[in-house]
């Protein structure tokens, strides 16, 4: 998840979950932007939430919602 991502490119300085400073081993890409988290657990929680939200939106679209 951190492949090719640099902490200098992160759009945030603090983790959106914890408010702690971002860590270079806890970066992900979201809508073309590098987003930082304080630890891999927070990063993974974000990625999991996105997967669930996107799945729900896709399911709603498939059913004409």
């Amino acid at each position: 998840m951190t492949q090719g991502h640099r902490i200098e490119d992160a759009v945030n300085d603090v983790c959106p979950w914890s408010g702690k400073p971002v860590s270079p081993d806890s970066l992900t890409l979201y809508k073309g932007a590098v987003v930082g988290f304080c630890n891999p657990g927070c990063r993974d929680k974000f990625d999991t939430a996105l997967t669930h939200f996107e799945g729900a939106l896709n399911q709603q679209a498939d059913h004409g919602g």
Side-chain angles (χ1 to χ4, degrees):
M1 299 202 185
T2 61
Q3 283 187 346
H5 306 320
R6 300 177 325 154
I7 197 164
E8 300 85 27
D9 297 330
V11 297
N12 59 314
D13 294 325
V14 297
C15 176
W17 293 116
S18 72
K20 296 177 183 177
V22 299
S23 176
D25 69 346
S26 304
L27 306 173
T28 195
L29 198 61
Y30 176 66
K31 294 191 176 186
V34 177
V35 180
F37 296 88
C38 65
N39 64 56
C42 283
R43 179 202 58 213
D44 295 348
K45 182 167 64 168
F46 176 78
D47 288 335
T48 299
L50 286 178
T51 300
H52 288 288
F53 291 134
E54 290 171 359
L57 290 173
N58 289 336
Q59 187 176 30
Q60 183 180 20
D62 290 344
H63 290 99

